[in-house]
Amino acid sequence: MGETVGQIVENKQIIFKGYIEGTPKETDMELKLGNKIKLEAPKGSGAFLVKNLYLSCDPYMRGRMRDFHGSYLPPFVPGSVVEGFGVSKVLDSDNPNFKPGDIVSGFTGWEEYSLIHETAQLRKVQPDDMPLSYYIGLLGMPGFTAYVGFYEVCAPKKNDYVFVSAASGAVGQLVGQLAKLHGCYVVGSAGTSQKVDLLKNKLGFDDAFNYKEEPDLDAALKRYFPEGIDIYFENVGGAMLEAVLLNMKNHGRIAVCGMVSQHSVSDPQGIRNLFNIITKRVRMQGFLQSDYLHLIPRFVEDVTSLYKQGKITYLEDMNEGLESGPSAFAGLFSGKNIGKQVIRVAHE
């Protein structure tokens, strides 16, 4: 607390060690101490210096840990600071659009202090009575992914039968609640009985099941959707997608948000049962939230209002301290987190 501009401080950092093939491990990143910086935005740089308050752990970051340059985001640089979405406070600025004291959300470094040059996707947070960490979750990229994925890609209608995988995660929990508010019947899958209980009793899903306790996913889906599935919000891929393809209704929609089951596989498996896309006339579409940025103001207004009215709930899993980052991130891939995984770097 109480930093003064111009002072020399230690800047703790989380460093990306090197490219990986398998599932991320805590040891793929390391805490680096002893890096001294001067708390200032150099004159003429057009940059601004922030103190990072909250950092987001998101599965898409796995894609930046492999040596592959053909994706929508470049890979991390081995030996450099990990980067991701965060909520930060401006301390010093050489950019007229950002003043000391401003709160911003967007890409930042996994470190205590970052110098930010790139402002294209940064949002200024107008602090109201929403917790600041929500701006990298419910009101940030994951919440926005749920919002555009459901409304723009799934083309929902009242009384649709909706299935959400990884349903208690950062994205799935909001998809399910938006679907309920839209008048749909919603079932979610998750990987522990505690998560299933939260889906049914806290998040308001009509039903939910633990996929690890289902020896036959096709039979499970037939039990929960005897009439079939209109909308599948896809977060996992693999065996779950194969089972869903056997249970889609005619003219069903599959919004492909992620495939967390495939993140560990450098040699991904093929998907069976794709022929059903033809016979059932299913539309299966991949999407990125970054194609819909023009909808952000409407999204923030809609979701803030629903939250304040008590119409939606939000599960957040908060880890304390920058040093907890590597284990919190690795935990995403074994389902350790309950809800949206966030790291608190500093108290506001």
Side-chain angles (χ1 to χ4, degrees), residues 13-194:
Q13 297 177 311
I14 302 289
I15 301 295
F16 170 59
K17 283 163 55 177
Y19 297 124
I20 65 171
E21 289 287 317
T23 305
K25 300 185 298 295
E26 192 177 335
T27 49
D28 296 330
M29 301 175 176
E30 63 186 351
L31 180 68
K32 182 177 160 199
L33 303 169
N35 178 38
K36 297 268 195 285
I37 61 157
K38 191 174 185 182
L39 291 184
E40 64 171 16
K43 294 287 166 270
S45 65
F48 53 94
L49 180 82
V50 297
K51 175 179 180 153
N52 293 315
L53 304 175
Y54 299 98
L55 297 172
S56 179
C57 293
D58 297 296
Y60 81 86
M61 295 166 68
R62 160 71 182 94
R64 303 192 67 186
M65 297 173 76
R66 50 186 195 141
D67 193 4
F68 175 70
H69 294 259
S71 185
Y72 60 98
L73 281 173
F76 292 140
V77 178
S80 295
V81 178
V82 173
E83 61 170 24
F85 289 102
V87 175
S88 319
K89 182 177 175 181
V90 179
L91 296 180
D92 187 36
S93 178
D94 189 50
N95 179 325
N97 299 318
F98 295 89
K99 307 266 188 290
D102 284 353
I103 303 287
V104 295
S105 72
F107 274 117
T108 189
W110 278 33
E111 53 191 352
E112 290 177 293
Y113 303 95
S114 297
L115 193 61
I116 293 182
H117 296 269
E118 190 49 64
T119 62
Q121 290 222 21
L122 270 190
R123 285 159 50 199
K124 257 192 225 186
V125 171
Q126 304 306 337
D128 51 10
D129 34 14
M130 299 292 273
L132 288 182
S133 61
Y134 284 24
Y135 288 90
I136 42 173
L138 180 66
L139 298 172
M141 182 276 290
F144 189 53
T145 299
Y147 184 87
V148 297
F150 182 64
Y151 292 121
E152 305 297 313
V153 183
C154 292
K157 297 187 292 298
K158 192 172 191 258
N159 301 321
D160 274 348
Y161 288 83
V162 176
F163 176 49
V164 185
S165 51
S168 67
V171 177
Q173 58 172 307
L174 185 57
V175 173
Q177 293 181 89
L178 293 175
K180 280 303 299 170
L181 291 167
H182 201 76
C184 301
Y185 178 83
V186 186
V187 178
S189 64
T192 68
S193 52
Q194 182 190 9

Side-chain angles (χ1 to χ4, degrees), residues 25 29-30 36 76 99 113 125 146 159 176 186 194 201 205 223 242 279 283-284 289 291-292 307 328 336:
K25 300 185 298 295
M29 301 175 176
E30 63 186 351
K36 297 268 195 285
F76 292 140
K99 307 266 188 290
Y113 303 95
V125 171
N159 301 321
V186 186
Q194 182 190 9
N201 299 319
F205 282 59
R223 205 164 70 234
E242 294 185 337
T279 52
R283 176 166 67 78
M284 185 169 172
Q289 53 85 28
D291 288 343
Y292 299 90
Y307 182 80
K336 269 224 281 276

